[in-house]
Amino acid sequence: MPLSSSILSELRRIVGPGDVLTEKEDLIAYSFDGTAALRQMPGCVVLAATTAQVSSVLRLAQETGTAVVPRGSGTGLSGGSLPSPDCIVFCLAKMDKLLEVDRANLTLLAEAGVTTAEVAEAAGAAGLFYPPDPGSMKSSTLGGNVAENSGGLRGLKYGVTRNYVLGLEVVLPDGEVLWTGNKCVKDVAGYSLRDLFIGSEGTLGVITKVLLKLIPKPAAKRTLIATFARMDQAAQTVSDIIAARIIPCTLEFLDRTTIRCVEDFARVGLPLDCEALLLMETDGHPAAVEEEAARMAELARANGAAQVLVARDEAEADRLASARRGAFSALARVAPTTILEDATVPRSQLANMVRFIAGAAAKYRLRIGTFGHFGDGNLHPTFLTNELDADEMRRVEQAFKEIFDEAVRLGGTITGEHGVGVSKKAFLPQFAGGAQMRVMRELRRALDPKGILNPGKMFD
Ligand SMILES: Cc1cc2nc3c(=O)[nH]c(=O)nc-3n(C[C@H](O)[C@H](O)[C@H](O)COP(=O)(O)OP(=O)(O)OC[C@H]3O[C@@H](n4cnc5c(N)ncnc54)[C@H](O)[C@@H]3O)c2cc1C
């Protein structure tokens, strides 16, 4: 049912008339996120500027049984901020204040709408470091990062968003404001509600403030790339690096299709005659960094690398890293529809998984470029397709299902960092099992008995 005029006028009273969007041309921009082939017009868009406004809007939604879909920048890749019909899209991007950098406790407090890049810059300006670096960090918001428990290129050594969240301000579906966590390094008082909200994909509450842990900035960094004629040589190099007790901050992989697209797009100077490329970065104490970089180069050569290139300075390091950072954009240029997935397996199964994806591409006559966080076992098979071609989309779905089934069979997961949202919810029950599904549903019902918050996401 369309939003009533009384709900709209109450929303205008709460946030101001300019921050309630109802015109079709405004709503179109909020009718999709970063996920391909998913679109739905909302009833309206509300832009909140304060926690009090968030609380009042949720109270109104609760009273009127109106669906609310929280949204940051809409870069999500599982349809998490896709509107439900006639819902309020609740955008937090205007809550963008960096509130405090506490140099004594090494923490940063920010509103949920601050971008990840702004957090990283503020930490850097204080001589500190915020490691989570999703590829979307220039536009993704901190609230979106927490709601998805986002990863990034540094996950192998530094972990993901969850590892840096000390506290959260969350507005519950009934409008009550809750604080969980604090600046203490240790705190075991009660259940960790903070951990419950991290990765909850906008289904349990609206995150309004985030207290983050920062760490000292590494003194030095070295970047290198190695290319291989065969993918299993790259996979073996990764295993050998880890077995040599080296934990690089970045250990990324590009396959042949991705290398060609990147080279076409960015002209980084990558060799086109290889099947796999590894981007490796080590950071820390300068002496350790030199030693680890030399050892990684040696291991790549021992596994038959055709070329090993060590960046001489920061500019060259940035150029080499841009090959990986630009992978998605490069692939997105070559087909009308780009579907980016994140099947994830234990590291020891990487070569098997990459081979399986290539087999699925051949079996279903599809073009798939694969890149990803090799060090984490987190792969991004990227389908280069056309959503208007019904036959091809059917084959894409079949290939997807086989790829996820194989990832789970190999001891992996259906999503390493993009979340369940709409895209993976059909796969969740089989992956999570009956007991986990029951507990998740009961938790959701306890916090949101009317099911107003992000309905139809993660599970129905
Ligand atoms: C080019 C590109 C590269 C990417 N690279 C990575 C990567 O390396 N690693 C990675 O993990 N992801 C990556 N992503 C996915 C995406 O950027 C992340 O999931 C990101 O955290 C989403 O942030 P957002 O602000 O855009 O959130 P949105 O897309 O707006 O929302 C995502 C989810 O969070 C919920 N949400 C948003 N804000 C709040 C809030 N304040 N309170 C409660 N719920 C909220 C929404 O309801 C939705 O379910 C990439 C995406 C793109 C397009």
Side-chain angles (χ1 to χ4, degrees):
M1 205 173 55
L3 292 173
S4 69
S5 56
S6 68
I7 293 178
L8 289 171
S9 57
E10 185 56 16
L11 289 170
R12 290 190 180 103
R13 194 194 59 75
I14 296 169
V15 297
D19 285 330
V20 179
L21 312 179
T22 52
E23 295 297 325
K24 188 176 171 198
E25 47 275 34
D26 290 329
L27 300 189
I28 287 172
Y30 294 86
S31 65
F32 55 89
D33 66 0
T35 323
L38 293 175
R39 255 167 242 108
Q40 172 66 54
M41 288 291 269
C44 76
V45 174
V46 172
L47 304 159
T50 65
T51 301
Q53 289 179 353
V54 174
S55 169
S56 301
V57 169
L58 288 182
R59 208 164 283 138
L60 172 69
Q62 192 65 230
E63 282 162 15
T64 55
T66 309
V68 175
V69 176
R71 183 180 175 103
S73 292
T75 63
L77 291 171
S78 56
S81 55
L82 181 78
S84 44
D86 301 317
C87 75
I88 299 171
V89 164
F90 205 6
C91 182
L92 278 282
K94 275 182 78 173
M95 291 188 68
D96 60 355
K97 291 188 201 67
L98 270 160
L99 299 168
E100 182 195 64
V101 176
D102 179 342
R103 293 166 196 245
N105 286 304
L106 305 190
T107 62
L108 183 151
L109 178 68
E111 289 184 329
V114 167
T115 65
T116 324
E118 285 165 340
V119 169
E121 275 161 31
L128 295 167
F129 186 35
Y130 177 64
D133 60 341
S136 53
M137 66 188 292
K138 284 189 185 151
S139 46
S140 67
T141 65
L142 197 49
N145 292 169
V146 175
E148 295 287 7
N149 188 20
S150 295
L153 273 64
R154 301 190 188 114
L156 171 61
K157 179 169 178 180
Y158 291 107
V160 296
T161 304
R162 183 186 299 280
N163 305 107
Y164 296 87
V165 177
L166 286 174
L168 293 174
E169 182 186 77
V170 181
V171 185
L172 299 175
D174 63 2
E176 189 176 5
V177 181
L178 170 148
W179 247 108
T180 169
N182 50 53
K183 290 185 182 177
C184 296
V185 174
K186 290 177 163 179
D187 172 15
V188 294
Y191 296 143
S192 177
L193 296 184
R194 173 190 64 193
D195 281 296
L196 179 63
F197 289 108
I198 300 168
S200 63
E201 301 189 18
T203 63
L204 299 180
V206 176
I207 298 154
T208 42
K209 291 195 185 89
V210 184
L211 178 68
L212 291 171
K213 174 176 91 172
L214 304 177
I215 61 173
K217 205 160 151 177
K221 186 170 87 174
R222 266 279 191 225
T223 304
L224 48 157
I225 60 169
T227 56
F228 301 87
R230 293 197 326 268
M231 194 274 311
D232 57 331
Q233 296 172 315
Q236 192 55 48
T237 303
V238 170
S239 301
D240 290 353
I241 288 172
I242 305 292
R245 309 281 182 269
I246 298 171
I247 303 292
C249 63
T250 302
L251 195 42
E252 297 286 311
F253 159 81
L254 270 64
D255 75 351
R256 182 192 290 273
T257 304
T258 313
I259 294 166
R260 284 172 185 239
C261 292
V262 166
E263 197 45 35
D264 235 23
F265 174 54
R267 306 257 176 253
V268 179
L270 305 176
L272 296 177
D273 55 350
C274 58
E275 193 179 315
L277 179 149
L278 286 182
L279 168 73
M280 302 170 272
E281 283 186 324
T282 162
D283 66 0
H285 187 280
V289 163
E290 286 312 315
E291 198 181 309
E292 286 182 357
R295 186 83 180 108
M296 289 198 292
E298 197 180 296
L299 290 169
R301 286 192 194 99
N303 279 299
Q307 196 184 13
V308 179
L309 212 74
V310 184
R312 280 158 301 194
D313 51 33
E314 210 165 315
E316 196 175 6
D318 285 348
R319 189 174 62 78
L320 297 182
S322 72
R324 165 61 185 92
R325 292 207 175 267
F328 180 55
S329 315
L331 289 166
R333 283 170 71 243
V334 304
T337 308
T338 318
I339 305 180
L340 176 67
E341 274 311 333
D342 69 333
T344 302
V345 291
R347 280 189 290 252
S348 57
Q349 298 291 356
L350 273 166
N352 289 336
M353 195 65 219
V354 174
R355 250 192 305 273
F356 187 88
I357 293 168
K363 177 176 170 188
Y364 289 105
R365 293 173 286 116
L366 296 167
R367 211 166 161 209
I368 305 179
T370 301
F371 63 95
H373 317 296
F374 230 38
D376 314 357
N378 183 189
L379 290 171
H380 292 311
T382 304
F383 291 68
L384 310 175
T385 179
N386 181 357
E387 63 186 289
L388 299 178
D389 181 338
D391 176 59
E392 185 162 290
M393 290 308 282
R394 196 180 38 76
R395 284 182 277 123
V396 165
E397 265 174 41
Q398 286 169 323
F400 258 155
K401 183 167 177 345
E402 286 187 16
I403 288 171
F404 293 140
D405 285 350
E406 181 66 5
V408 174
R409 199 186 67 78
L410 294 174
T413 169
I414 54 173
T415 171
E417 57 181 16
H418 294 163
V420 175
V422 179
S423 313
K424 305 280 176 65
K425 74 174 178 177
F427 301 99
L428 187 62
Q430 195 194 344
F431 173 69
Q436 279 207 82
M437 288 304 291
R438 181 181 60 75
V439 173
M440 286 195 278
R441 282 181 204 282
E442 283 176 10
L443 281 168
R444 181 153 170 184
R445 211 172 296 130
L447 288 173
D448 185 13
K450 284 193 186 167
I452 60 154
L453 211 52
N454 221 357
K457 308 297 165 60
M458 215 184 289
F459 39 78
D460 289 315

